[in-house]
Amino acid sequence: MGHWICCLCSGVADPLMLLLVLALGCNTSTAATASPSVPHIKPSYSFGRTFLGLDKCNACIGTSICKKFFKEEIRFDTWLSSRLKLPPSSLLSYSGNYTDDAKSWRLVDITRLTSKYQHDRADKRICTSLLKTKTCSLERALRRTQRFQKWLRAKRLTPDLVQGLSSPMLRCPSQRLLDRIVRRYAEVPDAGSIYMDHLTDRDKLRLLYTLAVNSHPILLQIFPDVEGWPFPRYLGSCGRLVVSASTRPLRDFFGSAPEVAADLALQLLAVLRSMGTNDLNYFFYFTQVDAGTFGVFSNGHLFIRDASTLGIIDKEEGSQLIDGQQEYKDIFSCLTVDCQSPFLSCDSIREKHSLVMVCQELLPKLLAGKFLPPVQEKIEAFLRRCARGLGDERGAEEAMAELAGILKPLRSCDSRFAYRYPDCRYSDKY
């Protein structure tokens, strides 16, 4: 049919026939098939390298989860709106959604290790103090430092390589702890080795930068939740953003029902107990706590939401960094804190240190006015003693057992506490 129409194109004289031919066209493929529909253009979610912090790499945390962002398998909550705008870059944390199959989604927390203002100020400090300019290549500037040159030559991460860093985790380091960091660093392919041969120069700078700014993501990597540690799961990093499993901060539960408050207080005590006594013989302590330090999963399980203020003392090996070495200061010591900030002495930390802080800052807000007078008076009397330091005669374990004895009869067993329900119906443990 198409061939016959084309033959008429040159010889047809009838004007009506000519119009018919022109309407049908002389192209056989056009006459034989319908016009294809216009493809649907998918909305584009534009990040920009600046929002993620990729423009600052390799003075950043990592890139292990960048593909998830660009494939839209991680979405900010604001992306669910029709306007598809990214949230302000000035925020410290964001609520997001994460998927592995594009069908089922789960909540995640997307956080910065410090505020964008502090990041920008630190970047400026690097340029002005190292290169005497207002702007520079951060990577080139940091590569020239004496500390990083030592990292490049090192086969193993040793205490002298982390001396003077502001992270509480590294104030009393042992070789066993540092080996664990290298062996479990999740931003590189797992080599299972204590030696840094599998780390490129880029990897070493990212690890050093992360330890200097905020050790929170490193703690999540080396003490993972799947092994029973009380931290949310680390999912990866992109630029200067960290993605981890979502928790609601403890502050959201200060107005909760009495049985919920009692349950959370008991979980707090259990976490503090595990920080002091665990199979690996590490002693964890807080240098500071606030209403966002702990978080609660949707199943009611309480975890340490912000590990940035956690210090670690190795009860098996002890500290291999003497107090004099802690005073060493360089640009990496001052990225996010005042260089004049004093270090806590490793010998000054006691087992009741974290419990006293929790009694001062969190338990009064969680348990205030929740119970009938006789029980409430017992709780408040304990918290007053605890906040004053418990006295030299009281140990942390004994004190926690006393408060747990008051709280245990006050919690209930129902579906609100999914992390222990229905097990609590059949076990004396709960």
Side-chain angles (χ1 to χ4, degrees):
M1 178 69 177
H3 175 72
W4 177 79
I5 292 172
C6 288
C7 290
L8 288 174
C9 286
S10 58
V12 66
D14 188 339
L16 291 177
M17 182 61 75
L18 178 60
L19 289 173
L20 174 62
V21 171
L22 291 175
L24 291 173
C26 292
N27 188 318
T28 57
S29 61
T30 303
T33 60
S35 299
S37 60
V38 177
H40 175 67
I41 300 174
K42 193 174 184 180
S44 175
Y45 303 97
S46 175
F47 288 100
R49 292 165 58 82
T50 302
F51 182 87
L52 294 170
L54 282 171
D55 58 325
K56 303 298 175 64
C57 281
N58 292 302
C60 63
I61 311 164
T63 56
S64 61
I65 209 165
C66 287
K67 286 184 179 179
K68 285 278 187 183
F69 279 106
F70 290 115
K71 290 167 65 178
E72 299 172 24
E73 293 174 347
I74 295 177
R75 297 185 176 187
F76 294 88
D77 276 352
T78 52
W79 285 11
L80 302 181
S81 70
S82 59
R83 302 180 71 179
L84 304 175
K85 284 188 176 181
L86 285 173
S89 60
S90 58
L91 298 180
L92 190 59
S93 63
Y94 311 87
S95 179
N97 299 275
Y98 176 103
T99 185
D100 286 317
D101 55 14
K103 296 177 182 177
S104 57
W105 294 80
R106 51 190 165 121
L107 290 175
V108 292
D109 290 332
I110 305 169
T111 56
R112 301 182 188 276
L113 296 191
T114 187
S115 70
K116 190 174 185 302
Y117 167 76
Q118 287 177 302
H119 267 310
D120 291 343
R121 191 172 65 170
D123 295 343
K124 188 177 296 185
R125 186 183 295 130
I126 291 171
C127 293
T128 54
S129 62
L130 297 179
L131 297 182
K132 311 303 180 186
T133 60
K134 291 184 178 180
T135 59
C136 68
S137 165
L138 300 177
E139 179 174 358
R140 188 178 301 119
L142 293 176
R143 277 177 172 273
R144 293 180 180 182
T145 61
Q146 182 180 359
R147 187 192 293 266
F148 187 66
Q149 288 300 312
K150 288 177 67 176
W151 272 63
L152 288 179
R153 296 190 296 269
K155 292 290 186 182
R156 193 174 183 183
L157 186 59
T158 51
D160 62 297
L161 296 178
V162 299
Q163 64 177 309
L165 296 184
S166 62
S167 168
M169 183 181 76
L170 300 172
R171 290 180 185 175
C172 313
S174 68
Q175 188 59 58
R176 186 169 70 115
L177 176 63
L178 297 179
D179 288 343
R180 189 176 182 87
I181 291 174
V182 173
R183 197 171 61 246
R184 294 187 166 216
Y185 182 42
E187 288 297 310
V188 299
D190 182 17
S193 172
I194 62 174
Y195 297 103
M196 295 198 289
D197 298 335
H198 63 293
L199 300 184
T200 64
D201 294 358
R202 175 200 65 193
D203 298 329
K204 288 182 179 180
L205 181 57
R206 290 178 181 178
L207 176 56
L208 173 56
Y209 180 84
T210 306
L211 290 172
V213 174
N214 187 329
S215 59
H216 169 77
I218 303 298
L219 273 159
L220 270 55
Q221 294 168 42
I222 66 176
F223 298 109
D225 67 310
V226 292
E227 295 180 4
W229 298 98
F231 302 109
R233 180 165 301 180
Y234 177 81
L235 298 172
S237 299
C238 184
R240 289 180 169 179
L241 292 179
V242 179
V243 183
S244 59
S246 177
T247 58
R248 288 176 60 193
L250 187 62
R251 69 171 66 88
D252 290 357
F253 296 86
F254 286 165
S256 60
E259 58 273 20
V260 174
D263 182 81
L264 292 174
L266 282 165
Q267 289 192 72
L268 254 177
L269 297 178
V271 168
L272 295 180
R273 196 175 296 114
S274 70
M275 289 168 56
T277 306
N278 51 74
D279 292 342
L280 292 186
N281 234 2
Y282 288 114
F283 172 62
F284 297 79
Y285 66 93
F286 285 105
T287 57
Q288 179 184 338
V289 296
D290 59 35
T293 301
F294 295 90
V296 183
F297 284 131
S298 57
N299 65 356
H301 206 171
L302 180 137
F303 278 66
I304 297 173
R305 188 172 192 256
D306 179 3
S308 63
T309 62
L310 270 182
I312 302 177
I313 295 175
D314 191 334
K315 295 198 290 186
E316 192 170 296
E317 286 190 3
S319 171
Q320 296 183 20
L321 195 65
I322 62 175
D323 286 343
Q325 288 178 293
Q326 289 182 329
E327 300 306 318
Y328 174 86
K329 295 287 198 312
D330 68 354
I331 189 65
F332 289 100
S333 309
C334 316
L335 288 181
T336 56
V337 297
D338 180 1
C339 273
Q340 305 306 315
S341 299
F343 286 112
L344 283 176
S345 168
C346 301
D347 297 329
S348 67
I349 307 300
R350 299 289 179 266
E351 287 194 359
K352 59 186 178 182
H353 179 88
S354 295
L355 175 62
V356 170
M357 295 180 75
V358 167
C359 286
Q360 292 171 340
E361 301 295 333
L362 300 182
L363 289 179
K365 299 171 184 175
L366 182 63
L367 300 174
K370 290 285 168 54
F371 309 103
L372 294 175
V375 174
Q376 190 70 44
E377 289 167 4
K378 284 184 181 179
I379 292 173
E380 290 176 358
F382 172 87
L383 293 180
R384 284 194 296 269
R385 295 199 315 271
C386 179
R388 290 194 297 264
L390 294 170
D392 293 337
E393 75 283 355
R394 296 294 302 275
E397 193 68 33
E398 183 183 357
M400 286 190 283
E402 178 186 346
L403 182 57
I406 300 172
L407 293 172
K408 275 185 178 179
L410 304 175
R411 65 177 180 177
S412 62
C413 178
D414 59 62
S415 57
R416 287 176 298 171
F417 310 100
Y419 79 96
R420 59 182 175 87
Y421 181 85
D423 295 354
C424 53
R425 290 190 178 277
Y426 311 105
S427 173
D428 294 336
K429 175 183 175 183
Y430 299 106

